[in-house]
Amino acid sequence: MKTINERRTIRKYSERDIPNDLLNRLLEQAERTPTMGNLQLYSVVVTRNAQMKAKLSPAHFNQPMVKEAPVVLTFCADFRRTTLWAEARDAHPGYDNFLSFINAATDALLYCQTFCNLAEEEGLGTCFLGTTVYMPQLIIDTLKLPQLVFPVATITLGWPAEQPALSDRLPLKSIVHEEHYEDYTTAKIDEYYSEKEALPENKKFVEMNNTKTLAQIFTDIRYTKKDNEAMSNGLLDALKNQGFLK
């Protein structure tokens, strides 16, 4: 059984299948996750079919593990089910707004994280795809998500066929603030990021990308202002289409 201190992002998987009974047991156990108002404002779409994975792949920048993993799970903020339940019980729901999206997205992300922890304890490997909210409309159309359902997280799932190194993490003191938020000084930034920047793999990363600093890779190459603004507009449009924004 793996512990959280051993968790790795797995992008390569064996051909070994994931039985439905195992997957469903983990998904059911994850339902013990904290949830707003005990409403469970989430749904998950299980994708095993190769053609469906191929259709989802462009939304995730054609990362190979989307097609190669035995299972792809798309976790959705879902206020539709609660809304339909309320309407069927002579109640008057008002969840077509941004606050409701945030609540449902939080529920879905918590559920996703709990599932990942449980799956990894079983020896399965996962890769969290941050690309889910980059081109959400493509995922919405592919998975036929109705109004008040929105994709917020995707993971690939399978039995690991690799043992990558553990990713580096910032020191605890860089993220914990006692009693109130204490803003970062230049000296503290230097202190907190010095170990990360000194790692041989990160120095090589800088060299390969022909930048002066590690930070420049994230601002000038990977997550640029232009791309962030364009994808933000797409995200807002998709939220409108799904009924979460007027």
Side-chain angles (χ1 to χ4, degrees), residues 184-242:
Y184 300 97
T185 63
T186 300
K188 287 187 179 294
I189 291 295
D190 290 343
E191 176 189 353
Y192 297 155
Y193 282 87
S194 60
E195 185 175 344
K196 175 189 282 283
E197 292 172 333
L199 290 172
E201 57 267 33
N202 284 337
K203 286 188 173 181
K204 184 177 180 181
F205 197 28
V206 171
E207 183 180 346
M208 288 172 52
N209 285 277
N210 197 31
T211 60
K212 292 182 179 180
T213 69
L214 184 64
Q216 288 174 337
I217 297 173
F218 295 92
T219 60
D220 300 348
I221 298 175
R222 298 187 69 178
Y223 310 113
T224 68
K225 177 179 174 64
K226 178 182 178 181
D227 288 344
N228 287 338
E229 290 178 345
M231 288 186 288
S232 292
N233 289 333
L235 176 62
L236 290 171
D237 288 342
L239 283 169
K240 291 177 183 177
N241 293 339
Q242 294 305 102

Side-chain angles (χ1 to χ4, degrees), residues 27-44 76-82 103-104 106-108 111:
L27 289 168
E28 185 174 15
Q29 288 175 346
E31 287 190 89
R32 301 315 305 169
T33 299
T35 171
M36 196 203 76
N38 200 29
L39 290 173
Q40 294 183 250
L41 304 171
Y42 51 79
S43 287
V44 57
C76 301
D78 187 343
F79 243 121
R80 182 174 182 82
R81 184 179 61 250
T82 303
N103 285 331
T106 301
D107 260 23
Y111 179 68

